[in-house]
Each structure stands twice: as structure tokens, then as C-alpha cells.
Amino acid sequence: MRYSAFSLLRQGLAGHAGWQQAWRSPPLQPRYDAVVVGGGGHGLAAAYYLARVHGVRRVAVLERGWLGGGNTGRNTTIVRSNYFFPESVALYDFALRQYEQLSEELNFNIMLSQRGMLCLGHSEHDMEMMARAVNAMQINGIDTELLDAAQVRAELPLANFTADARYPIHGGFVQRRGGIARHDAVAWGYARAADALGVDIVQNCEVLDFIITGGRIAGVRTSRGDVAAGAVGLSPSGHSGVLAAKAGFRLPITSYALQAMVSEPVKPVLHMVAMSWATGMYVSQSDKGELVFGAGLDLYPSYAQRGNLPTTQAIVAAMLEIFPAFRRLKMLRQWAGIVDVPWDYSPILGPSPVANLYLNCGWGTGGFKATPAGGYFLAHAMATGRHHPISAPFDLGRFSTGALIDEAAGAGIAH
Ligand code: FAD
Ligand code: PYC
């Protein structure tokens, strides 16, 4: 359906009653070939790839709230692939390459803006660690560059370069292909494309338990009744520990609140994403003009989705030390999401201890950038019963074998 300016106005006045739905609201069926738990970006992407790449016909996404109402709608939209280990680079750069063509593939503008992401070094020690990280990333084929203080100043003229700055800027490093993408659009684009391929997206449908017979998944019990399923995929973000416990196993994760905030909108003042490893502060400017900024994890495990005031204060203070001009802005909103952080800060993907139940969890503070990869590899595992070669190192078994992928630093913000 096409809309003229006049018809847009008429629709607005009529409460949008005549607008075409972007996806259906189908009734829950008693049986599906594949059920994905969680209607965030990852779950919706998994359903899309199940239908498009693997031709699985009867697929459902079950979401207990509304699409993208979890961390997909709460994150600060940073995309990048500047990780330390080759396994991580393969994973996150796969995702970034998908993002680079996703608007075209989904015919939905995800507003990808590869404006570059710059990490600040505040000491000689920071610079030495960054030199090592950049070397490792370049060996893995990632577009990173080490910058001296003058080069950082050319990119971030509003940052505090005075000699007595609390967080002096010695230099930094940049990934120019990094940037931001519109988080809602990623979820909605995948939802619309999955729906068009026949996927049932069922909102307000909570998975309460699993039906397991002889160690094999047979279906899920939901707030709308039981559903039989050939394969079940878990993409529940901050609730993976809760769901794993219902399926009878434990995950090596800890759940924390992660906070973010926005300022009132202003004209363009910041053309890159800036991140300060040492303080845990990062900031970018949205297309609306708001400064979107955030923090490292709150200090103790919690399922309270609002975050603690000391973290808010510390991060606002760090931002104002690094960008003193932002003192003049009002803060509009603060919020948090619950993130599941594995012991090595890398995601947990692939088969679970229950046959035909597959995992896509533990994305911690950094899974938005990985949405296409999480979805793609979950779909691969659900359709084939096996890992894709890129997801294999992220198997749950690494916590038994000791083959951990410790991305505590590469995950980007303070842990
Ligand atoms: P979600 O979007 O949370 O989707 C999971 C869904 O599962 C939810 O909608 C939830 O309602 C549903 N669900 C849970 N339990 C059940 C159940 N029992 N039955 C049915 N449905 C269920 N990552 C980045 O890469 N870049 C960033 O800049 C970034 N910034 C962040 C800032 C903040 C403040 C936060 C909180 C996170 C940030 N992240 C970032 C992390 C990122 O948001 C997540 O890793 C990512 O969004 C996870 O996507 P998802 O689809 O797996 O999860
Ligand atoms: O993973 O880049 C990231 C990130 C930034 C803020 C939160 N996560």
C-alpha cells in the first residue's frame, strides 16, 4: 500500500485503523516443525533463516511480551567486529557483513551508519594494550587503526585534551566499519520478512516449561497451551538461565543489569561512536540528535530491570569529564536491560544437553551487533542438528574442555 502526505494525515487522525499490518497475528498452532523462544532480533532472525535458507515450513516465534521489547529495544545500537580472538572475529564479522547488506535483503531500512567506532586510551598502559589488540585484529583481517592523540583530536574535537584532564587522552584505535544501526528496524525487518515466508509470530505467549520425553524435546508448555515441536531454539537473552533450569540443566552465566541513557536532542556534535575502556563510558549521537550513552555492568547480579543509581552517576560523571561541553545538556531517560554474561564473555551457541533443544544465549553486553549471526547459526543448528563451522567454538562444551574464548576486553565495555 502506498501513502501520500494527505493519506498519512488522514490515517493519523483515524488512529491508523486502515494501515496494513507489517506482520500477521496468527493463532498459536498445536504443532510446529521448529519453535523459537524469544521475539527479539535474534529469535526473529533465526525464524527468518529457518524459512529462507533451510526451507523449514512450519516455524513459530513465541514471545512473552512484544517484539523487540527485550534487549533488542534497549540497546545502544553499536555494531562492530573488533574482537581479539580469531573465533570471535569470524563470528562478529560474519554479522557485520550481513548487516552491510541487510536493508537490501529485507527490503527494510535498518539505518546502518558505519560512522566508525573509536576507543580512547587514557594512559600509556591503555595504549600498549590497544597496540596489541590492533595487531591481533589486523592479523585477523579487521579494519582497525591505532591513532595518536592528535588523530583522536581531529575526530573528536569536543573531547577534553587539556593537560590536567581527569582522563587524559593519549590516543586510541578505530574500526571505521563500526557504527550504529536502528535496533527496532532490525527486529521489524526480520519480523516482516519472516512473516512473509509464513512464519507464525505469536506475541503475549510465554514459554513456561518444556515437554521432554526420553531426553528429547517434544514441545513447549506456554501461557496459551501446549505446542508440539520437532526442534526448539532458545533466544531469550536475559532469561536463558531461567529457561535452561526448566529444561533441567545449568548454564555458566551470571545475569546483570546493563544501563543506558539519552540526553535531549541537539544538532550534530559527535560524528563517531566514542568508547572509553577505562571508565566503561561510551557515547554516540542518534539520528534524532540525542546523545545515547551507557555504562559497564551494574556491580552485582540482578533481574531488576532498572539499574542502580551509583552506576548512572559514575557514567554521567565520566562522560562529562571526557566531553565537558555535554554538561549543558539535560538527561531525558535512563533504563536497563538484563544481560546474561558467560564466564568467558563469549556467547553460548548450538546443541544443549537436551536433544533437539538448541542454544543462542549468553550474548552479554554485546549481542545486538551479532543479531544476524545469532539468528543464522541458531537456524543452522535447528535445521541440521549440527554446528555451522563458525559457531562450533562457541559450543557449551567449551566449559568442560577448557577451550574458553576469553573476550573480557574485546566485549568492549567494563565488566
Ligand atoms: P532480546 O531482544 O532480549 O529478546 C529476547 C526475548 O525473549 C525478549 O523479547 C523476551 O521477552 C523473550 N523471552 C524471555 N523469556 C521468554 C519466555 N519464557 N517465553 C517467551 N519469550 C521469552 N549489544 C551490542 O552489540 N551493541 C550495543 O551497543 C549494545 N548496547 C546495549 C545496551 C544496553 C543498555 C543493553 C541492556 C544491552 C546492550 N547490548 C548491546 C546487548 C544487546 O542488547 C543484546 O545482546 C541483544 O539485544 C540480544 O538480543 P536477543 O534477541 O537475543 O534478546
Ligand atoms: O558491544 O559494542 C558493544 C557495546 C557497546 C555498549 C554496549 N555494548
Side-chain angles (χ1 to χ4, degrees):
M1 187 185 289
R2 290 191 169 278
Y3 297 106
S4 65
F6 179 68
S7 74
L8 276 176
L9 179 65
R10 202 175 46 206
Q11 287 297 337
L13 293 173
H16 308 305
W19 279 22
Q20 196 178 338
Q21 298 283 317
W23 51 84
R24 297 163 299 130
S25 293
L28 185 65
Q29 299 299 321
R31 168 157 196 97
Y32 289 96
D33 296 330
V35 164
V36 180
V37 183
H42 282 252
L44 293 163
Y48 167 72
Y49 293 119
L50 275 165
R52 186 183 70 72
V53 177
H54 300 282
V56 180
R57 286 174 54 90
R58 291 181 301 172
V59 180
V61 177
L62 307 185
E63 165 55 49
R64 68 176 180 173
W66 65 95
L67 296 193
N71 288 339
T72 295
R74 291 166 189 273
N75 72 74
T76 44
T77 77
I78 296 172
V79 299
R80 59 187 176 88
S81 58
N82 50 1
Y83 280 75
F84 197 76
F85 289 100
E87 294 87 346
S88 316
V89 166
L91 180 71
Y92 290 102
D93 208 57
F94 176 92
L96 189 51
R97 280 181 274 119
Q98 296 300 311
Y99 266 132
E100 286 170 341
Q101 51 86 54
L102 202 58
S103 295
E104 220 171 293
E105 175 171 347
L106 300 179
N107 188 24
F108 200 94
N109 188 358
I110 64 154
M111 297 168 72
L112 175 68
S113 164
Q114 291 179 290
R115 57 186 65 184
M117 183 193 159
L118 198 159
C119 294
L120 296 168
H122 298 299
S123 63
E124 285 312 307
H125 171 79
D126 274 4
M127 292 312 300
E128 190 174 317
M129 295 312 291
M130 285 183 173
R132 291 177 190 201
V134 166
N135 274 341
M137 289 167 195
Q138 287 178 349
I139 288 169
N140 291 322
I142 295 302
D143 56 311
T144 47
E145 300 158 41
L146 202 61
L147 305 179
D148 62 25
Q151 289 170 307
V152 173
R153 189 170 198 158
E155 301 287 5
L156 303 175
L158 287 185
N160 187 353
F161 288 89
T162 57
D164 62 349
R166 180 162 180 203
Y167 303 111
I169 296 175
H170 289 234
F173 79 96
V174 66
Q175 182 183 22
R176 304 233 177 242
R177 284 167 63 234
I180 57 175
R182 176 81 201 160
H183 48 7
D184 299 322
V186 171
W188 297 339
Y190 274 122
R192 198 178 69 146
D195 175 83
L197 293 170
V199 170
D200 281 359
I201 298 171
V202 187
Q203 301 181 69
N204 298 312
C205 180
E206 180 169 6
V207 171
L208 303 171
D209 211 342
F210 298 96
I211 306 166
I212 298 172
T213 45
R216 176 171 291 272
I217 199 96
V220 290
R221 294 199 194 289
T222 83
S223 51
R224 296 200 187 182
D226 289 358
V227 180
V232 175
L234 294 187
S235 256
S237 196
H239 287 83
S240 58
V242 176
L243 283 168
K246 289 182 189 295
F249 59 93
R250 290 188 67 197
L251 288 173
I253 52 149
T254 313
S255 302
Y256 298 92
L258 182 69
Q259 302 193 34
M261 299 125 223
V262 290
S263 75
E264 61 184 316
V266 284
K267 287 189 174 171
V269 288
L270 182 66
H271 74 275
M272 292 187 122
V273 181
M275 181 176 275
S276 154
W277 278 1
T279 65
M281 187 284 299
Y282 62 93
V283 55
S284 69
Q285 189 169 21
S286 76
D287 295 328
K288 275 191 285 182
E290 298 164 334
L291 294 173
V292 181
F293 59 104
L297 296 166
D298 274 16
L299 291 179
Y300 52 83
S302 173
Y303 280 112
Q305 211 169 227
R306 57 173 181 266
N308 291 284
L309 189 57
T311 304
T312 320
Q313 286 175 320
I315 231 58
V316 172
M319 186 175 72
L320 299 186
E321 293 286 353
I322 296 171
F323 291 101
F326 296 168
R327 273 161 214 246
R328 298 169 60 190
L329 301 179
K330 294 190 180 66
M331 195 166 105
L332 282 194
R333 294 188 302 281
Q334 174 276 357
W335 67 92
I338 304 303
V339 297
D340 286 353
V341 182
W343 297 342
D344 63 354
Y345 304 95
S346 289
I348 303 172
L349 309 177
S352 78
V354 178
N356 291 354
L357 177 65
Y358 298 94
L359 304 171
N360 172 39
C361 57
W363 288 100
T365 60
F368 173 68
K369 69 173 80 63
T371 304
Y376 195 93
F377 298 128
L378 178 60
H380 184 95
M382 290 175 74
T384 65
R386 289 190 306 275
H387 268 293
H388 186 282
I390 294 180
S391 70
F394 298 92
D395 190 85
L396 179 61
R398 73 181 187 273
F399 295 94
S400 311
T401 62
L404 302 180
I405 305 169
D406 189 339
E407 285 287 1
I413 58 174
H415 298 294

